[in-house]
Amino acid sequence: MTTETHRDDAAARLRAAGLKVTAPRLAVLDAVSGHGHLDADAVLARVTGTLHGTSLQSVYNVLGALTDAGLLRRIEPAESPALYESRTGDNHHHVVCTRCHAVADVDCVVGEPPCLAPSDAAGFAIHTAEVTFWGLCADCQRELAG
Amino acid sequence: MTTETHRDDAAARLRAAGLKVTAPRLAVLDAVSGHGHLDADAVLARVTGTLHGTSLQSVYNVLGALTDAGLLRRIEPAESPALYESRTGDNHHHVVCTRCHAVADVDCVVGEPPCLAPSDAAGFAIHTAEVTFWGLCADCQRELAG
DNA sequence: AAGTTGTTTTGAATCACTCAAAACAACTGC
DNA sequence: GCAGTTGTTTTGAGTGATTCAAAACAACTT
């Protein structure tokens, strides 16, 4: 069964990260995986279906643990609560809609490292470049045009 | 007097933006100008010297008005409160220290527009690219080395 | 100098998130 | 399989940053 396989994978990844395998963790991992960019409330909403008695606090705990372990990535666009996504490892970027705050992934095309090399970094030893694009999402463009 | 001139400039810029010229606004504008990247508390601290009876709330109001008017720019790096700077108009970027949260300006060198042109923007009509570099500031490098 | 409208002040409220202690459940070794 | 240990979850309260709202006030207009 695909679902079974997924759960096993998730369990294995938790274990590999040195984390105990628990129902809340499997549920959160599943809720975030393949569902874009979710804030803590959205994760709770998706999780309360399969898990009962969960609280926002637990979701925060789990999200924190999974993020620290590198199984999830946290982004914090201006004017939005923290969002979590399952795509980790590659340092991809994001587009945020200035009207509805929708978020989408963006692959940094233009020769990857260029952005990573500012000429004058004011003496900083830089290790990451984070790029956030701002614009109107397709839906909002339509609504404003129509 | 230079100070006089500064104040007149500030007043003119407020008027040009359609804003009334008030003591709190002149004070906040002066506090932020040429003093890097300040959060609301820091602005209040710098302002309470010259202005008495001010509150954090007023500072928030003024910062909001000045930002909306384009006289200040607001940045919101992850894990920091909102920061305000007087350098507006050019879309420069920032380096943030992962250890002490110090912030410095960075001019986007590498041919400006490259970052502004992601191949696949998921249907978004992009109008801004925001780049945040993360690394260790000079002071923190020293402290960790020594 | 008076009126109008935008600002500031005061005070309370909200949102997103963290802290802490007690109850609990996974994994370890026997 | 079962007890022990240690990491997790739960419950409840608390904090920091920011916003909301209404009344007092001051800048600009005529």
Side-chain angles (χ1 to χ4, degrees):
Chain A
M1 228 181 249
T2 322
T3 320
E4 280 293 321
T5 313
H6 273 163
R7 194 171 311 149
D8 291 353
D9 279 8
R13 286 192 296 147
L14 283 170
R15 251 183 278 269
L19 295 174
K20 286 185 180 170
V21 178
T22 68
R25 285 177 179 170
L26 291 172
V28 167
L29 212 40
D30 184 61
V32 177
S33 293
H35 291 286
H37 308 83
L38 278 57
D39 63 19
D41 277 324
V43 172
L44 177 61
R46 295 197 114 261
V47 150
T48 32
T50 58
L51 211 70
H52 33 256
T54 324
S55 68
L56 189 54
Q57 175 58 44
S58 299
V59 169
Y60 273 110
N61 285 347
V62 172
L63 286 172
L66 296 183
T67 303
D68 289 348
L71 298 180
L72 293 180
R73 180 175 164 196
R74 173 200 281 122
I75 61 172
E76 297 180 42
E79 327 207 335
S80 291
L83 302 175
Y84 297 83
E85 65 184 342
S86 55
R87 191 174 154 194
T88 59
D90 68 339
N91 181 27
H92 67 273
H93 304 310
H94 298 97
V95 218
V96 183
C97 181
T98 42
R99 185 157 171 272
C100 73
H101 290 130
V103 176
D105 288 341
V106 170
D107 297 294
C108 200
V109 244
V110 198
E112 271 98 303
C115 288
L116 266 161
S119 64
D120 176 13
F124 280 63
I126 293 177
H127 57 68
T128 314
E130 180 189 359
V131 184
T132 305
F133 297 97
W134 296 88
L136 273 183
C137 72
D139 286 352
C140 285
Q141 288 176 59
R142 247 192 304 281
E143 282 181 37
L144 288 180
Chain B
M1 228 182 249
T2 323
T3 320
E4 279 294 322
T5 313
H6 273 163
R7 194 171 310 148
D8 291 353
D9 279 8
R13 284 192 298 145
L14 283 171
R15 251 184 278 271
L19 295 174
K20 288 183 179 170
V21 178
T22 67
R25 284 176 179 172
L26 292 173
V28 167
L29 212 40
D30 184 62
V32 176
S33 293
H35 291 286
H37 309 83
L38 277 59
D39 63 19
D41 277 323
V43 171
L44 177 61
R46 295 198 114 260
V47 151
T48 32
T50 59
L51 211 70
H52 33 254
T54 325
S55 68
L56 189 55
Q57 175 57 46
S58 299
V59 169
Y60 272 109
N61 285 346
V62 172
L63 287 172
L66 297 183
T67 302
D68 290 348
L71 297 180
L72 292 181
R73 181 175 163 196
R74 172 199 281 121
I75 62 171
E76 297 180 41
E79 327 207 333
S80 291
L83 302 175
Y84 297 83
E85 65 182 341
S86 55
R87 192 174 153 192
T88 60
D90 69 339
N91 180 27
H92 68 274
H93 304 308
H94 297 98
V95 218
V96 183
C97 181
T98 42
R99 186 158 170 271
C100 74
H101 290 131
V103 175
D105 288 342
V106 170
D107 298 295
C108 199
V109 244
V110 198
E112 272 97 305
C115 287
L116 265 161
S119 63
D120 177 13
F124 281 64
I126 293 177
H127 56 69
T128 316
E130 180 189 0
V131 184
T132 305
F133 297 97
W134 296 88
L136 274 182
C137 72
D139 285 353
C140 285
Q141 288 176 59
R142 247 192 302 283
E143 282 181 38
L144 288 181

